Amino acid sequence: MADVTRRAFLRHLRGTPTSWVRLQVGDRVRREGTGLSFWYRPLRAVLSEVPVDDRELPLLFHARTEDFADITVQATVTYRVADPALAARRLDFSIDPRTGRARSRPLDQVATLLAELAQQPALDLLARMPLAEALAAIAPVREAVAATLAAEPRLADVGVAVVSARVVAIRPEPELERALQTPTREAVQVEADRATYARRAQAVEQERSIAENELQNKIELARREQQLVEQHGANSRRKVELDAAAELAAAQGTAEREKVATAAAADRARVLAGVEADKERTLAAARAEGVRAVGHAEAEAEAAKLAAYAELPPAVLQTLAVRELAGQLPQIGQLTVTPDLLTDLLARLTPAR
C-alpha cells in the first residue's frame, strides 16, 4: 500500500518498488509507474495502485475419480500482474486519494478466477482415472493445470500472467486412505516380520556357529592339553631315562674308579708286601746274623770260660758251682741250720782222702 502524507491541502504519495501507481486528473494520465513519489490534489486526483510482485495462491479442492472415490487435491499457483495498466482498466485497483487505502479487493477476483481455471482441468483429468492411478497422477495434473492457465485468454484480458503451477498432494478420504494403506502396511509388516525372522534365524545361525566354534575350541584345547600331558609324560620319562643313564654312567665311572683304585691299592699292597717281605727277610737275615754272631760270641765266651775253668783247682770250681747254684735257688727268708745239715754239707764239701 502506498504511503500518503498530508501537507495542508495537498497530499504526497510515496510508492514502493513492487507497486505500480497511476495518477489521473480528469481524462488525462499525469503519472504512472513503479516506485513513484509525487504531490497531488486529492479533490481532483484519481489514484490506482496495482501490485506487480509474484503472489502465491494456495488451492485445496475436491475431485471425484472414475470409480467414484472422493479425493482432495492440494496445489499452489504463482502469478503476477504482467500488464498493470490493463489490469487497472479492467479491475478496480483505485485507492482513496486522502488515505491511500484500497476501495475494493480486486486480487480476490483474480484469485477466484485462477482457482476456477486451475480446478477445471484437474477435475476433468481425475474423473477419467481410477483411484489408484489418480493418487499417482501428480505430474499429469500439474502439467494440465499449467497448460490451461498459460493458454487461458481471460487471464490475458485482465493483464495477469501465471508464473508456475504446482500440485503438492492428491489424497483420498482418511478412511479410504487407511484402507488403501492397509495392504502396503501389511506388506511392509510382512517384510518387517520376514526381516525379523531372517535376523532371528541369522542370530540363531550365528549363535550356532559361535557354539560350534566354542566346541571346536574346547576340543582343540583338550587335544592340545592331551598332547601337552603326553609330551610332559614323555619329557618325564626321558628325564628319568637320562637321570638313570647319568646315574649308570656315574656308577660305572665310580666302579671304574674303584676298580682302578682297587687295582692300584692291590699293586701298592703287593709292592708293600714285597717290600715288607724283603724287609722281613732282611731283618730276619740280620737277626739271624746277629744271633749267629751272638751265639758265636757266647760260644767263644763259654769256650774261654771253660778254658779258664779248666785251669782252676777243683775247690774253686766247686765254690763257683755253689755260687751259681745259689743264684738259681729261690729266695730264702729264714734258714735254720741243724747239726745234721752241717755235718752232711761238710761231708760233701770235704774231698775224700
Side-chain angles (χ1 to χ4, degrees):
M1 186 178 71
D3 184 15
V4 177
T5 58
R6 179 179 179 182
R7 293 294 184 272
F9 56 88
L10 296 178
R11 297 290 189 273
H12 182 271
L13 183 143
R14 185 175 57 213
T16 61
T18 58
S19 296
W20 181 90
V21 179
R22 169 188 286 174
L23 173 60
Q24 184 176 351
V25 179
D27 57 352
R28 296 179 59 185
V29 177
R30 297 294 181 89
R31 290 175 178 273
E32 65 179 3
T34 58
L36 296 180
S37 179
F38 53 86
W39 292 92
Y40 63 93
R41 292 179 180 182
L43 295 178
R44 299 181 60 189
V46 177
L47 297 176
S48 298
E49 183 182 13
V50 181
V52 295
D53 57 336
D54 291 351
R55 293 181 175 261
E56 300 287 340
L57 176 62
L59 301 177
L60 184 64
F61 56 93
H62 292 272
R64 189 176 297 273
T65 62
E66 185 181 12
D67 47 3
F68 304 102
D70 189 14
I71 58 176
T72 301
V73 180
Q74 182 179 358
T76 302
V77 176
T78 303
Y79 69 97
R80 67 169 175 263
V81 179
D83 190 350
L86 179 60
R89 289 194 302 268
R90 297 297 303 271
L91 300 174
D92 186 9
F93 284 96
S94 63
I95 61 175
D96 189 350
R98 290 181 176 84
T99 61
R101 295 179 181 177
R103 292 177 173 176
S104 63
R105 303 178 66 180
L107 292 180
D108 291 347
Q109 299 177 6
V110 175
T112 301
L113 178 60
L114 288 173
E116 292 177 353
L117 294 175
Q119 291 180 23
Q120 192 62 43
L123 296 175
D124 294 341
L125 181 61
L126 294 174
R128 298 191 299 269
M129 293 182 179
L131 177 61
E133 185 179 352
L135 294 178
I138 294 179
V141 172
R142 181 182 65 247
E143 294 174 357
V145 171
T148 301
L149 293 178
E152 180 60 42
R154 286 182 294 177
L155 295 177
D157 291 342
V158 295
V160 176
V162 176
V163 178
S164 65
R166 301 185 302 276
V167 177
V168 179
I170 301 176
R171 302 184 63 179
E173 294 179 352
E175 295 80 4
L176 184 57
E177 185 176 10
R178 285 193 294 270
L180 292 174
Q181 290 175 353
T182 300
T184 303
R185 187 182 298 110
E186 293 297 330
V188 172
Q189 187 64 38
V190 169
E191 291 297 329
D193 294 340
R194 184 179 295 109
T196 301
Y197 297 149
R199 185 170 61 253
R200 291 179 180 176
Q202 186 177 5
V204 171
E205 183 67 21
Q206 290 179 355
E207 290 179 358
R208 186 182 63 80
S209 300
I210 293 173
E212 290 181 355
N213 292 333
E214 291 179 353
L215 181 60
Q216 292 296 330
N217 292 333
K218 290 181 181 179
I219 294 174
E220 183 66 20
L221 290 176
R223 187 179 62 80
R224 292 186 178 182
E225 185 176 0
Q226 181 181 0
Q227 292 180 353
L228 181 61
V229 171
E230 293 177 354
Q231 186 65 34
H232 183 70
N235 293 337
S236 299
R237 289 193 298 272
R238 182 61 178 170
K239 183 178 180 181
V240 171
E241 292 176 356
L242 292 177
D243 292 340
E247 292 178 358
L248 179 60
Q252 291 177 353
T254 303
E256 290 295 331
R257 289 193 297 272
E258 290 180 356
K259 183 178 180 180
V260 172
T262 302
D267 293 339
R268 186 166 59 252
R270 286 194 296 272
V271 173
L272 291 177
V275 172
E276 290 294 331
D278 292 340
K279 182 178 179 181
E280 290 294 332
R281 285 194 297 271
T282 302
L283 291 176
R287 291 193 189 96
E289 187 65 27
V291 170
R292 285 195 297 271
V294 171
H296 184 69
E298 289 179 354
E300 288 180 356
E302 289 293 331
K305 186 184 291 187
L306 291 177
Y309 286 162
E311 293 178 1
L312 291 177
V316 176
L317 291 174
Q318 290 179 355
T319 302
L320 292 173
V322 171
R323 192 183 61 181
E324 185 69 23
L325 179 61
Q328 297 296 325
L329 291 176
Q331 185 178 359
I332 299 173
Q334 184 177 2
L335 179 62
T336 302
V337 180
T338 63
D340 294 335
L341 179 60
L342 291 176
T343 301
D344 189 16
L345 178 61
L346 290 177
R348 291 180 179 181
L349 293 176
T350 301
R353 293 185 179 176

